[in-house]
């Protein structure tokens, strides 16, 4: 059974940093695409960052230069380091897994439950 469990969310002031983690079980983060999405209240879920070892890393334009996605294959865990956070980064952040990276939600077979990030001004 595949499980993706996010952690690391919280409340932070603008300009601060947080690191999110996504621990995968029953699924290899090494050979598949792992992505982070976010959904703010009243808005659609949107892609934030994706990583596929040997293929590449992608970021949404809104987070480029501020967020960094990485993974630890030994721990089967994917991270999202978020810096210079802005109030508009406030959202529920979800980890997702797919065979190929895409910003389309339909491409992802597995989703975590999400972790809340709140950035105050």
């Amino acid at each position: 059974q595949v499980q993706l469990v996010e952690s690391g969310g919280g409340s932070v002031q603008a300009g601060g940093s947080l690191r999110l983690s996504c621990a995968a079980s029953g699924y290899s983060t090494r050979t598949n695409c792992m992505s982070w999405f976010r959904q703010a209240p009243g808005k659609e879920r949107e892609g934030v960052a994706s990583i596929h070892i040997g293929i590449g890393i992608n970021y949404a334009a809104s987070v480029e230069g501020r967020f960094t996605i990485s993974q630890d294959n030994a721990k089967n865990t994917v991270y999202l380091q978020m810096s210079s956070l802005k109030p508009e980064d406030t959202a529920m952040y979800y980890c997702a897994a797919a065979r190929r990276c895409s910003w389309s939600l339909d491409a992802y077979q597995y989703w975590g439950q999400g972790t809340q990030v709140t950035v105050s001004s």
Side-chain angles (χ1 to χ4, degrees), residues 65-118:
R66 299 188 298 120
F67 290 10
T68 302
I69 190 171
S70 62
Q71 62 186 78
D72 184 332
N73 293 327
K75 296 181 179 180
N76 221 29
T77 299
V78 178
Y79 303 97
L80 185 67
Q81 178 67 48
M82 306 185 295
S83 302
S84 301
L85 282 162
K86 305 175 181 180
E88 50 264 45
D89 294 318
T90 295
M92 184 71 79
Y93 283 72
Y94 298 90
C95 175
R99 292 176 180 170
R100 293 184 178 181
C101 288
S102 169
W103 290 138
S104 171
L105 304 183
D106 292 340
Y108 291 82
Q109 291 83 39
Y110 304 104
W111 292 84
Q113 292 299 306
T115 185
Q116 178 67 38
V117 171
T118 303

Side-chain angles (χ1 to χ4, degrees), residues 4 12-13 16-17 23 26-27 29-30 37 41 43-44 67 71 74 78 81 84-85 88 93 97-98 100:
L4 303 177
V12 64
Q13 289 191 330
S17 300
Y27 194 87
T29 61
R30 182 177 63 84
F37 287 77
K43 294 188 176 181
E44 294 186 350
F67 290 10
Q71 62 186 78
V78 178
Q81 178 67 48
S84 301
L85 282 162
E88 50 264 45
Y93 283 72
R100 293 184 178 181

